[in-house]
Amino acid sequence: MTSRIRHVTIDSADAYGLAGFWSRVLGLPVHEDDRPGGEDALIEGAGLLFVTVPEPKTVKNRVHLDLEPQDRTRDEEVERVLGLGAVLVDDRRNPDGTGWAVLADPEGNEFCVERGAAERAGG
């Protein structure tokens, strides 16, 4: 028997607030049992569990999420996510259309926005 990953757990100052940001990014709901001020919040469809911890984020993530837009271009998704409260950390997009953008969520956790399948296929 092997194991499977049940959740990717992300430490946060405000689990419910950060889960709300990611809920809007992913278009998936925060679990119906989770409430503001709770010690954790789950986006079940993505397997993301946010847990409130007392320590602030102090260093670069060792693990990060890579987003692949499904119904828009990479650049359109970058603009949409910036509008939700992310910040651009490092723009690794190239003039030929390749590359990615590194963003940070409202608590400073880095993630990347890559090209979608249609863009990679040249469509």
Side-chain angles (χ1 to χ4, degrees), residues 11-76:
D11 291 349
S12 58
D14 174 8
Y16 190 81
L18 193 56
F21 168 81
W22 282 101
S23 171
R24 292 185 300 279
V25 168
L26 300 172
L28 295 168
V30 175
H31 193 278
E32 63 186 24
D33 294 339
D34 295 328
R35 301 283 179 263
E39 65 182 41
D40 57 35
L42 174 65
I43 301 176
E44 198 165 28
L48 295 177
L49 177 63
F50 299 88
V51 178
T52 300
V53 298
E55 307 85 17
K57 181 180 181 299
T58 58
V59 298
K60 182 182 182 302
N61 301 25
R62 294 291 301 263
V63 174
H64 70 264
L65 304 176
D66 288 341
L67 302 182
E68 178 186 59
Q70 300 298 298
D71 59 354
R72 58 184 54 95
T73 68
R74 174 201 57 209
D75 295 344
E76 291 168 338

Side-chain angles (χ1 to χ4, degrees), residues 44-119:
E44 198 165 28
L48 295 177
L49 177 63
F50 299 88
V51 178
T52 300
V53 298
E55 307 85 17
K57 181 180 181 299
T58 58
V59 298
K60 182 182 182 302
N61 301 25
R62 294 291 301 263
V63 174
H64 70 264
L65 304 176
D66 288 341
L67 302 182
E68 178 186 59
Q70 300 298 298
D71 59 354
R72 58 184 54 95
T73 68
R74 174 201 57 209
D75 295 344
E76 291 168 338
E77 184 67 350
V78 167
E79 291 306 312
R80 184 183 78 83
V81 175
L82 288 171
L84 294 174
V87 296
L88 184 64
V89 174
D90 187 15
D91 195 338
R92 306 294 301 267
R93 294 174 283 185
N94 300 312
D96 68 357
T98 61
W100 61 93
V102 181
L103 290 88
D105 69 20
E107 290 199 13
N109 300 299
E110 296 90 3
F111 62 97
C112 294
V113 178
E114 299 180 352
R115 295 180 302 160
E119 286 180 288

